[in-house]
Amino acid sequence: MAKTSLKDIADAAGVSIATASMALSGKGRISAEIRQKIAETAERLDYRRPRAAPAPRRNQPVIGILFYIDTDWAFSWRFNTPLIGHIERHFSELDYQVVIIPISEQATPGDVCARVENLECRGIFAIYYSSEQAFSRLESRGISVVMLMNSKLQHRFATVGVDDYQCAYEGALHLIQEGHRKLLFIDIERGDLSLISTDRFIGFKKAVDEFDIPLQDIERLTYDRNDHEYLRNRLQVIF
């Protein structure tokens, strides 16, 4: 019989993998009811948490990965686990210890720097997170910074991201080529990741322009990602 995985627990409990992980480790802002449900599900499915990763050997270099653990970011865990896995495999082959450094949106630049420096990281990958103050301080102390999935500071720090412009263009182009002419551009409020919205809308607009679809016929809807009721009501009105 296959060993029960964390994904099995999350699916059975009806939560995200990130929520299940935080609940079972006693972390995160999770209601007592949900935490208990996850614990009972884990017990019912005979889930055994994997042992913690071994501590770094003396003088073994460390690479850190900054990652949000706020509940609002739980959805991103599934998207980014392959990315984290690739980073870990690559640096493990170079005999580095790779550690995930959990942070929250309330963390100050000083807090983030302190965590990175306490672990004596040689370098960090920051997924979504950006802070010119924190990154400047780290690099001034010889700690390399690579930003992932956030182009806000790409003029200052090494940055790796998806091509939001091209992805939006190809997605819209596919719909139009399938014969759709009533299109809707839906986005969430992104705070300091607003450049993602800008790039995606420009890519979307390029596809629309190529087929002479009047832009005034395109509705652009932006909403708070936690306000699903608002989105549902707006969609009912539009369609």
Side-chain angles (χ1 to χ4, degrees):
M1 180 181 296
K3 185 170 65 173
T4 301
S5 68
L6 185 61
K7 183 178 184 302
D8 295 328
I9 301 302
D11 290 344
V15 299
S16 69
I17 295 177
T19 300
S21 176
M22 288 189 290
L24 293 173
S25 62
K27 301 176 181 177
R29 294 176 296 175
I30 303 171
S31 69
E33 181 182 359
I34 294 298
R35 196 180 295 275
Q36 181 178 355
K37 179 180 180 181
I38 293 171
E40 291 174 349
T41 302
E43 183 177 359
R44 175 168 54 84
L45 297 181
D46 194 29
Y47 173 70
R48 295 290 181 268
R49 292 188 63 204
R51 290 180 297 177
R57 300 192 306 274
R58 185 175 181 82
N59 298 324
Q60 184 181 19
V62 177
I63 291 293
I65 301 177
L66 298 177
F67 196 85
Y68 283 122
I69 59 169
D70 303 272
T71 304
D72 289 347
W73 286 94
F75 73 93
S76 70
W77 178 254
R78 184 169 299 183
F79 300 134
N80 289 295
T81 46
L83 177 62
I84 293 172
H86 282 299
I87 294 172
E88 182 175 24
R89 285 190 293 274
H90 174 76
F91 280 96
S92 293
E93 291 175 358
L94 299 176
D95 201 32
Y96 278 76
Q97 177 78 6
V98 179
V99 296
I100 294 180
I101 304 174
I103 57 174
S104 71
E105 290 185 314
Q106 287 72 43
T108 67
D111 293 335
V112 173
C113 288
R115 303 202 65 182
V116 172
E117 292 166 353
N118 287 341
L119 289 168
E120 299 183 350
C121 294
R122 297 283 184 87
I124 61 164
F125 290 90
I127 301 180
Y128 298 121
Y129 175 78
S130 69
S131 167
E132 186 165 8
Q133 180 181 345
F135 294 165
S136 295
R137 170 176 159 179
L138 292 174
E139 292 207 328
S140 72
R141 300 188 180 189
I143 301 172
S144 300
V145 174
V146 177
M147 295 177 57
L148 304 176
M149 314 300 284
N150 188 341
S151 59
K152 182 179 180 182
L153 298 174
Q154 65 180 22
H155 63 291
R156 286 277 289 108
F157 306 99
T159 301
V160 179
V162 298
D163 190 340
D164 289 289
Y165 169 87
Q166 186 67 21
C167 289
Y169 168 73
E170 293 184 6
L173 185 63
H174 172 74
L175 293 175
I176 295 171
Q177 290 176 335
E178 288 292 311
H180 299 283
R181 289 297 182 272
K182 186 171 184 179
L183 302 175
L184 171 66
F185 185 89
I186 302 177
D187 200 1
I188 62 173
E189 297 172 358
R190 296 184 181 275
D192 69 347
L193 296 174
S194 59
L195 287 176
I196 292 177
S197 299
T198 301
D199 289 346
R200 290 180 181 177
F201 186 73
I202 292 174
F204 172 84
K205 182 178 181 299
K206 181 177 185 293
V208 167
D209 287 344
E210 288 181 0
F211 282 81
D212 296 321
I213 299 176
L215 193 60
Q216 59 265 28
D217 292 346
I218 306 296
E219 176 133 10
R220 184 174 181 178
L221 176 60
T222 303
Y223 75 104
D224 182 331
R225 65 186 172 203
N226 296 313
D227 193 353
H228 299 296
E229 187 62 29
Y230 169 79
L231 177 61
R232 187 178 299 109
N233 292 337
R234 289 293 299 131
L235 291 177
Q236 288 176 346
V237 171
I238 295 170
F239 294 104

